[in-house]
């Protein structure tokens, strides 16, 4: 990667990935784009307003900046998508189609994240294999499976260097998530510091895979820099770091904040989605093919999240 374009740079992943990539490749070599103006992303590198559904505009940005790698991060997330499935399909697949075509025409590598949401209730629940049945019951998951297949097609048919990971829920102290089923695992930390109590929208005993943002960002770079000759899979690699229930993360917070309390007000949509997803993923292929290894566990992440949020909220 030498000249990188990030499409959807204003979202939860993009806002931090932009900063991370610029720290490695240089600010002027990472072009951030989003639907809306984002002054923060324009301070240390190029930023352009771009509608990912406008293929001509995307191609223009790629050509003008001599881009060789595209990160397509545009997506309506799982819970939001269920409220408007037609829009979710239009946005998620439209951005992917345009990214694939522009990558083909301009000889770019392309990273498009998939998700744990690509699996469904008929997939094995524990240590879900890399290659297994995938019949998701959300439009978000349908888009992710379709995206994996389409990205593989573009690689085999046209030679486009497509690569992807299936992200678990991503936990971050920088940018708040935007309507996903795993959002509770971010919100619980903020409420622990802000009010000392949290009302959880997913059932107490539902396990879901999660990953801390620093590991997620590192995974993006390590996969895109990996030797293609070693990649048996491409779209998309299981990625695992930690798996827990709301009760487990609550207990971890109570070790640091003994007065913290949590109750439940179950969101039926999030409950159905969460229960359809795997408890944990088997990421053996990522470990073997490009050396993936997580650095953060729940305990270390909890210390880091609480410290950063205290500072952010002025609660030190």
């Amino acid at each position: 990667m030498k000249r990188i374009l990030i499409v959807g740079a204003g979202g939860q992943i993009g806002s931090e990935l932009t900063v991370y990539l610029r720290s490695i490749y240089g600010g002027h070599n990472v072009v951030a784009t989003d639907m809306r103006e984002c002054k923060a992303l324009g301070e240390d590198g190029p930023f352009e307003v771009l509608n990912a559904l406008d293929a001509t505009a995307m191609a223009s940005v790629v050509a003008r900046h001599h881009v060789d790698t595209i990160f397509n991060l545009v997506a309506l997330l799982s819970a939001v998508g269920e409220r408007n499935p037609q829009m979710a399909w239009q946005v998620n697949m439209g951005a992917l189609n345009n990214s694939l075509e522009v990558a083909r025409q301009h000889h770019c590598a392309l990273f498009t994240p998939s998700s744990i949401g690509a699996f469904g209730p008929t997939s094995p629940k524990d240590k879900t294999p890399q290659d297994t049945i995938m019949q998701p019951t959300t439009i978000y998951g349908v888009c992710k499976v379709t995206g994996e297949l389409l990205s593989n097609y573009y690689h085999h048919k046209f030679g486009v260097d497509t690569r992807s990971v299936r992200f678990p829920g991503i936990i971050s102290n920088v940018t708040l998530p935007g309507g996903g089923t795993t959002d509770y695992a971010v919100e619980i930390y903020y409420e622990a510091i802000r009010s000392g109590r949290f009302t959880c929208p997913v059932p107490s005993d539902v396990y879901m895979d999660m990953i801390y943002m620093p590991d997620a960002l590192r995974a993006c770079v390590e996969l895109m820099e990996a030797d293609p000759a070693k990649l048996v899979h491409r779209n998309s690699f299981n990625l695992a770091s930690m798996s827990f229930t709301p009760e487990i993360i609550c207990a971890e917070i109570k070790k640091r904040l003994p007065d913290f309390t949590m109750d439940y007000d179950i969101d039926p949509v999030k409950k159905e989605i969460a229960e359809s997803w795997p408890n944990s993923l088997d990421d053996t292929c990522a470990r073997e093919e490009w050396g993936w290894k997580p650095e953060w566990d729940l305990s270390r992440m909890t210390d880091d999240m609480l410290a950063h949020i205290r500072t952010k909220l002025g609660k030190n």
Side-chain angles (χ1 to χ4, degrees):
M1 294 190 289
K2 295 182 176 66
R3 298 279 287 179
I4 300 165
L5 170 66
I6 303 180
V7 185
Q12 187 198 21
I13 299 175
S15 57
E16 295 188 55
L17 182 62
T18 301
V19 175
Y20 185 69
L21 291 175
R22 285 174 174 171
S23 73
I24 297 171
Y25 300 99
H28 62 288
N29 289 320
V30 180
V31 183
T33 67
D34 204 86
M35 280 278 290
R36 300 172 189 84
E37 186 69 42
C38 185
K39 292 182 179 178
L41 293 177
E43 289 176 356
D44 59 350
F47 176 87
E48 295 198 22
V49 174
L50 173 67
N51 182 350
L53 302 185
D54 185 340
T56 302
M58 187 187 295
S60 174
V61 173
V62 167
R64 283 187 284 108
H65 291 276
H66 307 289
V67 166
D68 61 55
T69 305
I70 301 170
F71 283 80
N72 166 39
L73 305 179
V74 175
L76 295 186
L77 300 184
S78 55
V80 172
E82 290 309 286
R83 293 198 290 270
N84 195 334
Q86 290 79 18
M87 181 182 289
W89 177 267
Q90 180 184 10
V91 170
N92 296 3
M93 297 311 301
L96 175 61
N97 268 312
N98 289 344
S99 298
L100 285 165
E101 265 302 289
V102 171
R104 180 182 70 83
Q105 293 165 8
H106 293 265
H107 309 289
C108 299
L110 176 63
F111 177 93
T112 299
S114 188
S115 165
I116 189 175
F119 298 104
T122 54
S123 303
K125 297 291 283 185
D126 297 302
K127 299 293 285 184
T128 307
Q130 171 73 36
D131 301 307
T132 188
I133 189 168
M134 301 174 76
Q135 294 182 328
T137 52
T138 66
I139 191 64
Y140 176 73
V142 170
C143 289
K144 289 304 185 185
V145 172
T146 307
E148 291 186 19
L149 295 171
L150 195 56
S151 295
N152 276 335
Y153 175 79
Y154 265 74
H155 173 65
H156 293 301
K157 181 75 173 180
F158 304 117
V160 179
D161 186 0
T162 56
R163 307 185 190 194
S164 178
V165 297
R166 293 177 185 136
F167 275 130
I170 297 178
I171 300 175
S172 167
N173 56 64
V174 178
T175 304
L176 291 171
T181 303
T182 57
D183 289 5
Y184 90 87
V186 176
E187 294 161 355
I188 190 172
Y189 287 111
Y190 277 88
E191 289 306 313
I193 298 299
R194 188 181 285 123
S195 65
R197 60 182 182 274
F198 178 65
T199 299
C200 185
V202 300
S204 62
D205 58 347
V206 172
Y207 278 88
M208 285 186 281
D209 257 331
M210 305 281 181
I211 190 170
Y212 199 29
M213 184 66 86
D215 270 343
L217 300 178
R218 187 170 51 81
C220 292
V221 173
E222 289 181 359
L223 174 57
M224 294 307 288
E225 292 287 7
D227 179 356
K230 296 182 179 179
L231 300 182
V232 178
H233 299 84
R234 281 181 170 269
N235 303 280
S236 179
F237 285 96
N238 281 0
L239 204 64
S241 178
M242 60 189 93
S243 177
F244 52 77
T245 67
E247 285 296 314
I248 291 172
I249 191 173
C250 177
E252 199 66 35
I253 291 172
K254 284 177 72 71
K255 291 177 185 177
R256 284 90 173 159
L257 301 169
D259 294 332
F260 176 68
T261 61
M262 183 172 72
D263 58 11
Y264 292 87
D265 182 12
I266 303 302
D267 180 321
V269 174
K270 291 185 176 182
K271 176 180 184 293
E272 183 179 358
I273 295 172
E275 291 178 344
S276 76
W277 288 355
N279 297 331
S280 60
L281 299 179
D282 181 348
D283 61 357
T284 301
C285 291
R287 291 172 182 263
E288 292 179 349
E289 293 176 37
W290 50 276
W292 162 247
K293 185 178 181 182
E295 294 179 353
W296 293 81
D297 59 18
L298 177 58
S299 176
R300 186 178 170 214
M301 178 184 72
T302 298
D303 287 333
D304 199 60
M305 283 290 289
L306 294 175
H308 277 91
I309 293 170
R310 278 196 187 97
T311 301
K312 191 173 183 178
L313 299 180
K315 298 281 191 175
N316 282 333

